[in-house]
Amino acid sequence: MTILDGKKVSNDIKTEIAAEVQKMKDAGEKVPHLAAVIVGDDGASLTYVGSKVRSCERVGFESTMVRMSHTTSELELLDKIKELNQNDDIDGFIIQLPLPPQINTQRVLMAVDPSKDVDGFHPENFGRMALDMSTFIPATPFGILELLERYKVDTKGKHTVVIGRSHIVGRPMSILMSRKGWPGNSTVTLTHSNTKNITQIISQADIVISALGVPNFLKAEMVKDDAVVIDVGITRVEDASRPKGYRIVGDVDFDEVSKKASFITPVPGGVGPMTIAMLLKNTLLAREQRSGSKIGQR
Ligand code: GUN
């Protein structure tokens, strides 16, 4: 069994990005600038955005965090997006999700200039992804592809079962794993809350990608011997013994499943850190495209 070490790989990627940024600096060029908009005070969202901003500093990017009140109207957010679209200094920006209920998420995501949409959530970019065109691939699926690639995991002709059909992870992942090329060329089953016989389907999977958000959902008896297991779950579970009062638990019962798997991601330290690294990579690509120095994303 091999652990897909997202912490290590994400650090490698950040080091590679930092070297690119240094080259830009040495050449007197503008460095990438990422902005993140957060609406409201959700603790988990603030933690994620905080760590995105810290990672920007680490690789030498400029970053801007835009905090807006939980009472922000959709129009106010759309105005802010217009400002970021027009601000030539910003290469890419993200709107942290989820948004408060008074705001229509899809309308907001459609207002982002696709050339600055480093999350890859705009329908134009999502469509380009589905059509194998160059685009910004959403960071979490992109991070999973990168892990599979760096650990040389064979995906061709394999049965990949994705659990969860979210727009951020499950849906794009199902498309990417079925694309021509590697990682890809899998036969994909996308399972969700209405799937019948989900345990039977999972038991046939060569590769399981779980993005469900149910702690320890996936047990050893549910997976095939030598399965590749990717855990996208990051649920906060109360734990008084921890300084923060909680710990992060994945969808996979790691201790048991790791005994059967050929490759497995831990939580924490698997997919989570990869997400941030790939957001940085998309931001670097956005800067390169804007400066015209390199065309062609993944
Ligand atoms: N909320 C959970 N994951 C993500 C993500 O990848 N991007 C944004 N913007 N919000 C999220």
Side-chain angles (χ1 to χ4, degrees):
M1 182 274 297
T2 302
I3 289 186
L4 299 171
D5 188 346
K7 197 165 173 199
K8 181 196 171 290
V9 174
S10 67
N11 274 322
D12 293 347
I13 292 170
K14 285 183 196 169
T15 304
E16 292 160 18
I17 294 173
E20 288 297 314
V21 174
Q22 192 55 50
K23 277 190 215 158
M24 290 173 159
K25 280 188 183 161
D26 293 345
E29 292 168 8
K30 178 189 177 312
V31 299
H33 186 168
L34 174 72
V37 180
I38 176 155
V39 185
D41 334 279
D42 176 67
S45 289
L46 279 167
T47 306
Y48 299 145
V49 172
S51 90
K52 288 171 185 177
V53 168
R54 271 196 309 282
S55 296
C56 282
E57 283 163 17
R58 154 136 189 240
V59 299
F61 285 7
E62 283 183 48
S63 62
T64 300
M65 176 161 14
V66 180
R67 284 200 66 175
M68 301 179 82
S69 138
H70 70 281
T71 59
T72 301
S73 70
E74 190 175 309
L75 260 182
E76 285 167 326
L77 181 54
L78 290 172
D79 276 345
K80 178 54 74 181
I81 291 171
K82 201 168 168 190
E83 197 184 304
L84 293 167
N85 283 341
Q86 288 169 353
N87 183 342
D88 218 29
D89 196 58
I90 305 277
D91 296 297
F93 65 97
I94 64 159
I95 313 295
Q96 187 64 27
L97 304 179
L99 290 167
Q102 73 274 17
I103 298 176
N104 180 303
T105 301
Q106 209 52 55
R107 268 203 296 269
V108 162
L109 295 179
M110 283 174 73
V112 175
D113 179 336
S115 74
K116 294 192 176 189
D117 171 38
V118 286
D119 255 336
F121 292 169
H122 189 284
E124 180 178 319
N125 286 329
F126 203 92
R128 291 177 67 91
M129 175 197 68
L131 294 169
D132 298 335
M133 297 164 77
S134 69
T135 186
F136 298 114
I137 294 177
T140 302
F142 195 5
I144 294 169
L145 294 183
E146 192 75 19
L147 272 180
L148 294 172
E149 192 173 329
R150 294 207 182 206
Y151 282 87
K152 301 187 169 51
V153 177
D154 186 17
T155 58
K156 186 178 170 185
K158 305 289 181 190
H159 182 199
T160 294
V161 173
V162 179
I163 310 173
R165 59 182 157 186
S166 76
H167 295 169
I168 296 178
V169 186
R171 186 79 53 81
M173 202 67 234
S174 69
I175 294 168
L176 291 163
M177 289 302 283
S178 70
R179 291 203 311 187
K180 269 191 187 164
W182 175 71
N185 276 329
S186 264
T187 304
V188 177
T189 304
L190 178 57
T191 65
H192 48 76
S193 49
N194 284 290
T195 300
K196 289 184 180 143
N197 304 326
I198 191 163
T199 47
Q200 193 212 337
I201 293 168
I202 294 168
S203 73
Q204 292 165 4
D206 302 306
I207 301 170
V208 184
I209 301 174
S210 184
L212 193 63
V214 177
N216 293 317
F217 162 80
L218 198 75
K219 305 285 184 200
E221 60 270 22
M222 293 161 76
V223 300
K224 211 160 93 166
D225 277 334
D226 295 325
V228 176
V229 180
I230 309 288
D231 189 351
V232 193
I234 36 163
T235 308
R236 288 183 175 197
V237 172
E238 268 186 47
D239 184 343
S241 72
R242 301 292 174 105
K244 287 182 178 159
Y246 66 85
R247 69 196 146 89
I248 301 292
V249 181
D251 288 355
V252 177
D253 184 348
F254 182 87
D255 291 344
E256 293 303 316
V257 176
S258 59
K259 291 177 191 152
K260 255 177 126 176
S262 56
F263 294 90
I264 187 166
T265 60
V267 174
V271 174
M274 290 301 294
T275 296
I276 294 184
M278 301 324 276
L279 174 66
L280 298 177
K281 195 149 186 172
N282 277 344
T283 307
L284 179 67
L285 288 168
R287 170 88 288 269
E288 287 171 346
Q289 285 209 325
R290 288 167 64 72
S291 73
S293 70
K294 200 194 273 181
I295 305 209
Q297 293 134 310
R298 205 179 161 105

